[in-house]
Amino acid sequence: MASDALVPETSVLAVASHVVYGYVGNKIATIVMQSLGCDVAALNTVHFSNHTGYRQFKGTRATAQEISDLYQGLCQSNLTDFDVMLSGYAPSAAAVEAVGAIGLDLQQKAQKAPGSFFWVLDPVMGDQGRLYVNDDVVPAYKNIIRYADLILPNQFEAEVLSGIKITSLKTLAEAITAIHKTYSVPHIIITSVQLSKFTSETSSSPNSLTVIGSTTRSDGSPRLFRIDVPALDCYFSGTGDMFSALTVARLREAVFATGPDLRNVKSWVSPDEVAPTDLPLAKSTVKVLESMHSVLEKTLEARDAELRTTSSDSASVNEEEKRKQENLRQSKAAEVRLVRNARFLREPTASFQAQEWRKEDLPESLQ
Amino acid sequence: MASDALVPETSVLAVASHVVYGYVGNKIATIVMQSLGCDVAALNTVHFSNHTGYRQFKGTRATAQEISDLYQGLCQSNLTDFDVMLSGYAPSAAAVEAVGAIGLDLQQKAQKAPGSFFWVLDPVMGDQGRLYVNDDVVPAYKNIIRYADLILPNQFEAEVLSGIKITSLKTLAEAITAIHKTYSVPHIIITSVQLSKFTSETSSSPNSLTVIGSTTRSDGSPRLFRIDVPALDCYFSGTGDMFSALTVARLREAVFATGPDLRNVKSWVSPDEVAPTDLPLAKSTVKVLESMHSVLEKTLEARDAELRTTSSDSASVNEEEKRKQENLRQSKAAEVRLVRNARFLREPTASFQAQEWRKEDLPESLQ
C-alpha cells in the first residue's frame, strides 16, 4: 500500500466493546481505522468471547469506575492528545455517563483550539423498534449527545432521540431537524433507512438502503443529503461500528481536503453557502459506503463458500439444539472478512453518489 | 497492498495484555499479524491504560477464571478453529496455568491432524537479570512449556528455564540444548543476546544484537543458527511482542513454502538432513528481523522528531517530578510507529542473513 492511500495522521480514542473472536465494536473499528492510517487508542467497555448475535457469550463488562480509571490513567501520563473520539456501546447508564465525561473533558482540553478535537458518538440503544439496553440508558444518552459533534443513530434510535415516529421522508427530515435543534448537534447521519417500508414511497426498491445525513446551517436548519446503496442479502454484525470507524477517518480527510480553514472551525461546520451534497460529511459518507459495500460483497462470497463446506452438528437430535447450532454456524460464517480485504477499505470497487432531497420530500417548514 | 504480500490464511488466538494507549502485548501483536493477513482473536489478560515503562498506569488484570471463561465462551460456540496460538504476558501463576490449559485443549482438539495447530509461547518472566513477575510464575511456566511448539525466551528467561548462566556462546548453546531436552520443546529462539557482554567474545560489535534459534533433530540435539543485526540506540517497549507476532506469520509462511509435507508434521520439525540455516525457523527469523529493523528505524526517526518539538512540563520545580515528566515524555515518544509504517512489515528495507555456528563456538558435546 502506498502511504498516499492513507488519511491525514489522526489520533483516535475509541471507546466501545471488545470481543475475542470476530468483528464488532472496537475489534472492527480498530482495524478499520488503522487500515486507513489512524492511530487508535482502544478503551474497551466490555470483554466478551464473541458478539451477541451468536445468542450466547461469556465475558465481563467494565464498570463506569473502571472506564473512568482507565481515562485517568491516560490523563496522568499526558496521553490525551486525541484528534477524534469515537464512542460506541457502553454497558450501562453509568457507563454512558462515564464516556460522556471523557468526551466533555477532551472537549474542554481542546477549547482554545477550535476544531482540534471532534467527537463522533454512536448512541447504541436498539434497533428494529426495540431497545436492547436498559431504559435508563436513553436519558443518559440524551444528556451527553449535546456535547457530540456527530451522531450516528439508526432509524429506531433517531425516533427515540427525536420523539418522532419515522414513517416517510418527511417525518425523517422532521426527526433530523428536531435532533439538530434539541441537542444542538451539528452533524447527523441516520444509517440504513429502508424507504421501501414507508407506505407512501413505494417507488423505492426493496433491495436498496438509504443513508441520510445532514450538517446544520447557522440558523439551525438541516442540510440534507441522501445516498442510496444496494442492500446485500445477509445480516452482518458490526457494520454499524465499521460505518462509524470509516466515518472518523474519511470525514477528517474530507475536512482537510477543503483547505486549512474548516479544520479550525468548531465542529467543522461548513459555511452556509456550501450545498448539502458538497458537504465534507456527504463526501465522506459516499466513500464510507463504497468501502463498506466492497468489503461486505467479499464477505458475502466468503460466507456462502463457508456455508457450502460446513454443516450443523448432525448429532443433535432435538429441534431446539439444531436451531441453536445452525445459528452459530450462520453467525460465524457472516463475520466480516476484513483482514484479507483491507485494501478494499482504502480503494473500494463500488461507486456511489450523494443526492440532494427533492423539495416535495421535505416537510413544509423546510421547503 | 497486493494480496500476494500476505502470508497464507492463518487464524490465531492471541492471549496477552491490552493497553488503551500505545503498542505492547496484544495491542501490537494484533496489528502486526493483521497487517500480514492473519485473522486474530485477541483474549486480553490485562486492560491497562498504558505500558508499565511509563512507571504509572491504571486498569485491571483478568483473573484465571475470567481467562478460562472467555475460552469456554469460544468453545461453546464452535469458535476454536485456530491454526496458531500465541501466548504472552499473563498476570499471575494461576493465569499462566489457565493459558496453559487453553493451549493443551487446542492441541488435543487437533491431535488427529498433526501440524494443524501450533503454539508459540513467550515465557514472559523478566529481563536483564531480574524477574518482574511473582516467583510462583516460574514453576507455572516450567509446567506448560512442554506443550508449546516454539518458545521465545530472552537471555535471562533462557537462564531461568535452563538453570545455566549464559556467559559465552558455548553456555548459550548448552542452555538451548538443555531447554530442548528438559521440556521437549522443538523450536527455540533466544531474542536479543548481547554477545559483546561476553568477556570471551570481544570481537563482537557493541552495536549489534544477536538472535539465536534452533530446531531440534530427532535425537534431541539442537540445530543452531544465529542472526546478527545492528542495534538501534533506543529502548522500545513491545518489541518482544512484535517479534513473536511476526514469527507467527512468517514461520507458517516459511513452512507452507516448503510444500505440503512439513505442515502435516507434528510441530513442523524439518527432517534431520535440513541444515540449520535452511530451517523454516531460520528463514522466518531473518524476515522477522528485517521487518522489525525497518519499522524501528522509522520509529527512531519519529521519536527524535517528537523529542525535538516537545519539552517536559517546565512548571515542575522538584527534581523527582521533573524526572517523572521526562520519563513520560520519552516513553510516549518511543511508542512503536506501526500504523503508518505497516507496509515495512510486509516489505522491509533491511536485509539480514542467518549463519551457522562455527565449530569452536559450540560446547564439546555438540562439535
Side-chain angles (χ1 to χ4, degrees), chain A residues 277-305:
Chain A
T277 52
D278 292 333
L279 290 167
L281 192 68
K283 292 182 182 171
S284 68
T285 305
V286 166
K287 280 200 171 182
V288 165
L289 291 168
E290 289 171 347
S291 294
M292 286 196 58
H293 192 78
S294 302
V295 170
L296 292 179
E297 264 188 339
K298 293 286 170 188
T299 298
L300 193 57
E301 285 169 26
R303 164 191 170 268
D304 291 347

PDB file of all heavy atoms in Angstrom, chain A residues 277-305:
ATOM      1  N   THR A 277     -24.831  18.382  -0.902  1.00  0.00           N
ATOM      2  CA  THR A 277     -24.003  17.321  -1.489  1.00  0.00           C
ATOM      3  C   THR A 277     -22.530  17.700  -1.585  1.00  0.00           C
ATOM      4  O   THR A 277     -21.695  16.852  -1.891  1.00  0.00           O
ATOM      5  CB  THR A 277     -24.509  16.944  -2.894  1.00  0.00           C
ATOM      6  OG1 THR A 277     -24.619  18.141  -3.672  1.00  0.00           O
ATOM      7  CG2 THR A 277     -25.873  16.263  -2.809  1.00  0.00           C
ATOM      8  N   ASP A 278     -22.200  18.982  -1.312  1.00  0.00           N
ATOM      9  CA  ASP A 278     -20.788  19.390  -1.302  1.00  0.00           C
ATOM     10  C   ASP A 278     -20.194  19.371   0.109  1.00  0.00           C
ATOM     11  O   ASP A 278     -19.016  19.685   0.303  1.00  0.00           O
ATOM     12  CB  ASP A 278     -20.631  20.801  -1.887  1.00  0.00           C
ATOM     13  CG  ASP A 278     -20.945  20.840  -3.367  1.00  0.00           C
ATOM     14  OD1 ASP A 278     -20.770  19.780  -4.016  1.00  0.00           O
ATOM     15  OD2 ASP A 278     -21.373  21.897  -3.859  1.00  0.00           O
ATOM     16  N   LEU A 279     -21.012  19.028   1.085  1.00  0.00           N
ATOM     17  CA  LEU A 279     -20.521  18.976   2.469  1.00  0.00           C
ATOM     18  C   LEU A 279     -19.436  17.909   2.611  1.00  0.00           C
ATOM     19  O   LEU A 279     -19.558  16.826   2.022  1.00  0.00           O
ATOM     20  CB  LEU A 279     -21.659  18.595   3.414  1.00  0.00           C
ATOM     21  CG  LEU A 279     -22.771  19.610   3.660  1.00  0.00           C
ATOM     22  CD1 LEU A 279     -23.947  18.925   4.367  1.00  0.00           C
ATOM     23  CD2 LEU A 279     -22.244  20.784   4.492  1.00  0.00           C
ATOM     24  N   PRO A 280     -18.393  18.167   3.421  1.00  0.00           N
ATOM     25  CA  PRO A 280     -17.448  17.084   3.729  1.00  0.00           C
ATOM     26  C   PRO A 280     -18.171  15.845   4.275  1.00  0.00           C
ATOM     27  O   PRO A 280     -17.791  14.716   3.945  1.00  0.00           O
ATOM     28  CB  PRO A 280     -16.540  17.711   4.796  1.00  0.00           C
ATOM     29  CG  PRO A 280     -16.568  19.179   4.500  1.00  0.00           C
ATOM     30  CD  PRO A 280     -17.968  19.461   4.006  1.00  0.00           C
ATOM     31  N   LEU A 281     -19.247  16.048   5.026  1.00  0.00           N
ATOM     32  CA  LEU A 281     -19.984  14.903   5.564  1.00  0.00           C
ATOM     33  C   LEU A 281     -20.582  14.058   4.439  1.00  0.00           C
ATOM     34  O   LEU A 281     -20.573  12.820   4.512  1.00  0.00           O
ATOM     35  CB  LEU A 281     -21.097  15.380   6.511  1.00  0.00           C
ATOM     36  CG  LEU A 281     -21.761  14.281   7.352  1.00  0.00           C
ATOM     37  CD1 LEU A 281     -20.799  13.714   8.384  1.00  0.00           C
ATOM     38  CD2 LEU A 281     -23.015  14.813   8.061  1.00  0.00           C
ATOM     39  N   ALA A 282     -21.104  14.713   3.404  1.00  0.00           N
ATOM     40  CA  ALA A 282     -21.669  13.972   2.274  1.00  0.00           C
ATOM     41  C   ALA A 282     -20.572  13.247   1.504  1.00  0.00           C
ATOM     42  O   ALA A 282     -20.702  12.074   1.151  1.00  0.00           O
ATOM     43  CB  ALA A 282     -22.424  14.917   1.349  1.00  0.00           C
ATOM     44  N   LYS A 283     -19.463  13.945   1.268  1.00  0.00           N
ATOM     45  CA  LYS A 283     -18.372  13.326   0.508  1.00  0.00           C
ATOM     46  C   LYS A 283     -17.779  12.142   1.255  1.00  0.00           C
ATOM     47  O   LYS A 283     -17.472  11.105   0.659  1.00  0.00           O
ATOM     48  CB  LYS A 283     -17.288  14.370   0.221  1.00  0.00           C
ATOM     49  CG  LYS A 283     -17.741  15.446  -0.748  1.00  0.00           C
ATOM     50  CD  LYS A 283     -16.616  16.419  -1.028  1.00  0.00           C
ATOM     51  CE  LYS A 283     -17.095  17.532  -1.958  1.00  0.00           C
ATOM     52  NZ  LYS A 283     -16.103  18.597  -2.091  1.00  0.00           N
ATOM     53  N   SER A 284     -17.604  12.303   2.557  1.00  0.00           N
ATOM     54  CA  SER A 284     -17.008  11.194   3.309  1.00  0.00           C
ATOM     55  C   SER A 284     -17.974  10.024   3.399  1.00  0.00           C
ATOM     56  O   SER A 284     -17.567   8.864   3.301  1.00  0.00           O
ATOM     57  CB  SER A 284     -16.572  11.653   4.702  1.00  0.00           C
ATOM     58  OG  SER A 284     -17.681  11.966   5.508  1.00  0.00           O
ATOM     59  N   THR A 285     -19.276  10.312   3.524  1.00  0.00           N
ATOM     60  CA  THR A 285     -20.241   9.214   3.639  1.00  0.00           C
ATOM     61  C   THR A 285     -20.305   8.395   2.357  1.00  0.00           C
ATOM     62  O   THR A 285     -20.465   7.174   2.396  1.00  0.00           O
ATOM     63  CB  THR A 285     -21.628   9.760   4.029  1.00  0.00           C
ATOM     64  OG1 THR A 285     -21.495  10.532   5.230  1.00  0.00           O
ATOM     65  CG2 THR A 285     -22.603   8.627   4.308  1.00  0.00           C
ATOM     66  N   VAL A 286     -20.142   9.055   1.215  1.00  0.00           N
ATOM     67  CA  VAL A 286     -20.069   8.320  -0.048  1.00  0.00           C
ATOM     68  C   VAL A 286     -18.905   7.328  -0.013  1.00  0.00           C
ATOM     69  O   VAL A 286     -19.049   6.134  -0.307  1.00  0.00           O
ATOM     70  CB  VAL A 286     -19.914   9.293  -1.242  1.00  0.00           C
ATOM     71  CG1 VAL A 286     -19.490   8.544  -2.502  1.00  0.00           C
ATOM     72  CG2 VAL A 286     -21.214  10.050  -1.474  1.00  0.00           C
ATOM     73  N   LYS A 287     -17.735   7.820   0.390  1.00  0.00           N
ATOM     74  CA  LYS A 287     -16.555   6.940   0.452  1.00  0.00           C
ATOM     75  C   LYS A 287     -16.756   5.813   1.448  1.00  0.00           C
ATOM     76  O   LYS A 287     -16.353   4.671   1.225  1.00  0.00           O
ATOM     77  CB  LYS A 287     -15.312   7.752   0.852  1.00  0.00           C
ATOM     78  CG  LYS A 287     -14.685   8.522  -0.271  1.00  0.00           C
ATOM     79  CD  LYS A 287     -13.231   8.866   0.084  1.00  0.00           C
ATOM     80  CE  LYS A 287     -12.498   9.447  -1.115  1.00  0.00           C
ATOM     81  NZ  LYS A 287     -11.089   9.751  -0.806  1.00  0.00           N
ATOM     82  N   VAL A 288     -17.345   6.147   2.587  1.00  0.00           N
ATOM     83  CA  VAL A 288     -17.598   5.146   3.631  1.00  0.00           C
ATOM     84  C   VAL A 288     -18.448   4.016   3.073  1.00  0.00           C
ATOM     85  O   VAL A 288     -18.148   2.827   3.253  1.00  0.00           O
ATOM     86  CB  VAL A 288     -18.299   5.803   4.836  1.00  0.00           C
ATOM     87  CG1 VAL A 288     -18.893   4.760   5.775  1.00  0.00           C
ATOM     88  CG2 VAL A 288     -17.322   6.720   5.581  1.00  0.00           C
ATOM     89  N   LEU A 289     -19.515   4.396   2.372  1.00  0.00           N
ATOM     90  CA  LEU A 289     -20.430   3.379   1.856  1.00  0.00           C
ATOM     91  C   LEU A 289     -19.798   2.564   0.724  1.00  0.00           C
ATOM     92  O   LEU A 289     -20.066   1.366   0.588  1.00  0.00           O
ATOM     93  CB  LEU A 289     -21.739   4.039   1.405  1.00  0.00           C
ATOM     94  CG  LEU A 289     -22.558   4.577   2.580  1.00  0.00           C
ATOM     95  CD1 LEU A 289     -23.682   5.482   2.088  1.00  0.00           C
ATOM     96  CD2 LEU A 289     -23.135   3.431   3.415  1.00  0.00           C
ATOM     97  N   GLU A 290     -18.940   3.200  -0.055  1.00  0.00           N
ATOM     98  CA  GLU A 290     -18.230   2.451  -1.105  1.00  0.00           C
ATOM     99  C   GLU A 290     -17.320   1.385  -0.481  1.00  0.00           C
ATOM    100  O   GLU A 290     -17.309   0.232  -0.919  1.00  0.00           O
ATOM    101  CB  GLU A 290     -17.408   3.418  -1.972  1.00  0.00           C
ATOM    102  CG  GLU A 290     -18.290   4.289  -2.875  1.00  0.00           C
ATOM    103  CD  GLU A 290     -17.519   5.399  -3.591  1.00  0.00           C
ATOM    104  OE1 GLU A 290     -16.357   5.672  -3.222  1.00  0.00           O
ATOM    105  OE2 GLU A 290     -18.096   6.012  -4.507  1.00  0.00           O
ATOM    106  N   SER A 291     -16.596   1.783   0.564  1.00  0.00           N
ATOM    107  CA  SER A 291     -15.716   0.819   1.237  1.00  0.00           C
ATOM    108  C   SER A 291     -16.520  -0.308   1.859  1.00  0.00           C
ATOM    109  O   SER A 291     -16.164  -1.487   1.755  1.00  0.00           O
ATOM    110  CB  SER A 291     -14.911   1.513   2.346  1.00  0.00           C
ATOM    111  OG  SER A 291     -14.010   2.444   1.804  1.00  0.00           O
ATOM    112  N   MET A 292     -17.612   0.066   2.513  1.00  0.00           N
ATOM    113  CA  MET A 292     -18.414  -0.961   3.185  1.00  0.00           C
ATOM    114  C   MET A 292     -18.974  -1.949   2.182  1.00  0.00           C
ATOM    115  O   MET A 292     -18.923  -3.161   2.381  1.00  0.00           O
ATOM    116  CB  MET A 292     -19.560  -0.314   3.963  1.00  0.00           C
ATOM    117  CG  MET A 292     -19.048   0.356   5.215  1.00  0.00           C
ATOM    118  SD  MET A 292     -20.339   0.744   6.390  1.00  0.00           S
ATOM    119  CE  MET A 292     -21.061  -0.836   6.703  1.00  0.00           C
ATOM    120  N   HIS A 293     -19.515  -1.407   1.082  1.00  0.00           N
ATOM    121  CA  HIS A 293     -20.120  -2.297   0.102  1.00  0.00           C
ATOM    122  C   HIS A 293     -19.085  -3.260  -0.474  1.00  0.00           C
ATOM    123  O   HIS A 293     -19.356  -4.452  -0.643  1.00  0.00           O
ATOM    124  CB  HIS A 293     -20.781  -1.482  -1.020  1.00  0.00           C
ATOM    125  CG  HIS A 293     -21.663  -2.304  -1.893  1.00  0.00           C
ATOM    126  ND1 HIS A 293     -22.922  -2.682  -1.511  1.00  0.00           N
ATOM    127  CD2 HIS A 293     -21.449  -2.869  -3.109  1.00  0.00           C
ATOM    128  CE1 HIS A 293     -23.465  -3.431  -2.459  1.00  0.00           C
ATOM    129  NE2 HIS A 293     -22.589  -3.557  -3.442  1.00  0.00           N
ATOM    130  N   SER A 294     -17.889  -2.746  -0.745  1.00  0.00           N
ATOM    131  CA  SER A 294     -16.850  -3.598  -1.328  1.00  0.00           C
ATOM    132  C   SER A 294     -16.458  -4.720  -0.366  1.00  0.00           C
ATOM    133  O   SER A 294     -16.348  -5.881  -0.761  1.00  0.00           O
ATOM    134  CB  SER A 294     -15.617  -2.756  -1.681  1.00  0.00           C
ATOM    135  OG  SER A 294     -15.981  -1.724  -2.580  1.00  0.00           O
ATOM    136  N   VAL A 295     -16.246  -4.371   0.898  1.00  0.00           N
ATOM    137  CA  VAL A 295     -15.839  -5.398   1.873  1.00  0.00           C
ATOM    138  C   VAL A 295     -16.989  -6.367   2.157  1.00  0.00           C
ATOM    139  O   VAL A 295     -16.767  -7.576   2.289  1.00  0.00           O
ATOM    140  CB  VAL A 295     -15.329  -4.739   3.172  1.00  0.00           C
ATOM    141  CG1 VAL A 295     -15.141  -5.781   4.279  1.00  0.00           C
ATOM    142  CG2 VAL A 295     -14.024  -4.007   2.914  1.00  0.00           C
ATOM    143  N   LEU A 296     -18.211  -5.866   2.207  1.00  0.00           N
ATOM    144  CA  LEU A 296     -19.337  -6.762   2.505  1.00  0.00           C
ATOM    145  C   LEU A 296     -19.660  -7.689   1.323  1.00  0.00           C
ATOM    146  O   LEU A 296     -20.091  -8.823   1.535  1.00  0.00           O
ATOM    147  CB  LEU A 296     -20.564  -5.957   2.945  1.00  0.00           C
ATOM    148  CG  LEU A 296     -20.385  -5.261   4.305  1.00  0.00           C
ATOM    149  CD1 LEU A 296     -21.627  -4.459   4.660  1.00  0.00           C
ATOM    150  CD2 LEU A 296     -20.047  -6.245   5.421  1.00  0.00           C
ATOM    151  N   GLU A 297     -19.432  -7.222   0.116  1.00  0.00           N
ATOM    152  CA  GLU A 297     -19.581  -8.124  -1.033  1.00  0.00           C
ATOM    153  C   GLU A 297     -18.603  -9.296  -0.929  1.00  0.00           C
ATOM    154  O   GLU A 297     -18.975 -10.453  -1.153  1.00  0.00           O
ATOM    155  CB  GLU A 297     -19.296  -7.356  -2.335  1.00  0.00           C
ATOM    156  CG  GLU A 297     -20.535  -6.844  -3.026  1.00  0.00           C
ATOM    157  CD  GLU A 297     -20.203  -6.265  -4.407  1.00  0.00           C
ATOM    158  OE1 GLU A 297     -19.026  -5.901  -4.656  1.00  0.00           O
ATOM    159  OE2 GLU A 297     -21.126  -6.163  -5.220  1.00  0.00           O
ATOM    160  N   LYS A 298     -17.363  -8.980  -0.577  1.00  0.00           N
ATOM    161  CA  LYS A 298     -16.356 -10.037  -0.398  1.00  0.00           C
ATOM    162  C   LYS A 298     -16.758 -10.952   0.758  1.00  0.00           C
ATOM    163  O   LYS A 298     -16.549 -12.172   0.710  1.00  0.00           O
ATOM    164  CB  LYS A 298     -14.985  -9.417  -0.102  1.00  0.00           C
ATOM    165  CG  LYS A 298     -14.403  -8.639  -1.250  1.00  0.00           C
ATOM    166  CD  LYS A 298     -13.890  -9.582  -2.328  1.00  0.00           C
ATOM    167  CE  LYS A 298     -13.513  -8.841  -3.591  1.00  0.00           C
ATOM    168  NZ  LYS A 298     -13.195  -9.779  -4.685  1.00  0.00           N
ATOM    169  N   THR A 299     -17.313 -10.353   1.805  1.00  0.00           N
ATOM    170  CA  THR A 299     -17.741 -11.138   2.964  1.00  0.00           C
ATOM    171  C   THR A 299     -18.857 -12.096   2.576  1.00  0.00           C
ATOM    172  O   THR A 299     -18.873 -13.262   2.992  1.00  0.00           O
ATOM    173  CB  THR A 299     -18.222 -10.195   4.084  1.00  0.00           C
ATOM    174  OG1 THR A 299     -17.123  -9.369   4.478  1.00  0.00           O
ATOM    175  CG2 THR A 299     -18.731 -10.974   5.293  1.00  0.00           C
ATOM    176  N   LEU A 300     -19.789 -11.594   1.768  1.00  0.00           N
ATOM    177  CA  LEU A 300     -20.914 -12.430   1.349  1.00  0.00           C
ATOM    178  C   LEU A 300     -20.432 -13.645   0.546  1.00  0.00           C
ATOM    179  O   LEU A 300     -20.881 -14.775   0.764  1.00  0.00           O
ATOM    180  CB  LEU A 300     -21.883 -11.584   0.513  1.00  0.00           C
ATOM    181  CG  LEU A 300     -23.260 -12.191   0.233  1.00  0.00           C
ATOM    182  CD1 LEU A 300     -23.978 -12.552   1.521  1.00  0.00           C
ATOM    183  CD2 LEU A 300     -24.106 -11.205  -0.576  1.00  0.00           C
ATOM    184  N   GLU A 301     -19.477 -13.407  -0.364  1.00  0.00           N
ATOM    185  CA  GLU A 301     -18.898 -14.525  -1.130  1.00  0.00           C
ATOM    186  C   GLU A 301     -18.258 -15.551  -0.191  1.00  0.00           C
ATOM    187  O   GLU A 301     -18.472 -16.760  -0.322  1.00  0.00           O
ATOM    188  CB  GLU A 301     -17.785 -14.021  -2.071  1.00  0.00           C
ATOM    189  CG  GLU A 301     -18.264 -13.295  -3.304  1.00  0.00           C
ATOM    190  CD  GLU A 301     -17.096 -12.602  -4.026  1.00  0.00           C
ATOM    191  OE1 GLU A 301     -15.936 -13.048  -3.887  1.00  0.00           O
ATOM    192  OE2 GLU A 301     -17.349 -11.585  -4.712  1.00  0.00           O
ATOM    193  N   ALA A 302     -17.466 -15.048   0.763  1.00  0.00           N
ATOM    194  CA  ALA A 302     -16.754 -15.954   1.678  1.00  0.00           C
ATOM    195  C   ALA A 302     -17.743 -16.686   2.583  1.00  0.00           C
ATOM    196  O   ALA A 302     -17.564 -17.865   2.904  1.00  0.00           O
ATOM    197  CB  ALA A 302     -15.746 -15.167   2.514  1.00  0.00           C
ATOM    198  N   ARG A 303     -18.790 -15.985   2.990  1.00  0.00           N
ATOM    199  CA  ARG A 303     -19.815 -16.612   3.827  1.00  0.00           C
ATOM    200  C   ARG A 303     -20.496 -17.747   3.075  1.00  0.00           C
ATOM    201  O   ARG A 303     -20.634 -18.851   3.600  1.00  0.00           O
ATOM    202  CB  ARG A 303     -20.862 -15.561   4.216  1.00  0.00           C
ATOM    203  CG  ARG A 303     -22.169 -16.136   4.760  1.00  0.00           C
ATOM    204  CD  ARG A 303     -23.203 -15.026   4.848  1.00  0.00           C
ATOM    205  NE  ARG A 303     -24.541 -15.516   5.137  1.00  0.00           N
ATOM    206  CZ  ARG A 303     -25.451 -15.827   4.211  1.00  0.00           C
ATOM    207  NH1 ARG A 303     -25.156 -15.740   2.926  1.00  0.00           N
ATOM    208  NH2 ARG A 303     -26.652 -16.233   4.568  1.00  0.00           N
ATOM    209  N   ASP A 304     -20.899 -17.480   1.831  1.00  0.00           N
ATOM    210  CA  ASP A 304     -21.580 -18.516   1.050  1.00  0.00           C
ATOM    211  C   ASP A 304     -20.669 -19.726   0.849  1.00  0.00           C
ATOM    212  O   ASP A 304     -21.106 -20.872   0.953  1.00  0.00           O
ATOM    213  CB  ASP A 304     -22.045 -17.949  -0.297  1.00  0.00           C
ATOM    214  CG  ASP A 304     -23.174 -16.933  -0.116  1.00  0.00           C
ATOM    215  OD1 ASP A 304     -23.745 -16.873   0.997  1.00  0.00           O
ATOM    216  OD2 ASP A 304     -23.479 -16.190  -1.069  1.00  0.00           O
ATOM    217  N   ALA A 305     -19.394 -19.450   0.582  1.00  0.00           N
ATOM    218  CA  ALA A 305     -18.443 -20.554   0.394  1.00  0.00           C
ATOM    219  C   ALA A 305     -18.313 -21.351   1.689  1.00  0.00           C
ATOM    220  O   ALA A 305     -18.296 -22.587   1.673  1.00  0.00           O
ATOM    221  CB  ALA A 305     -17.084 -20.006  -0.035  1.00  0.00           C
TER     222      ALA A 305
END
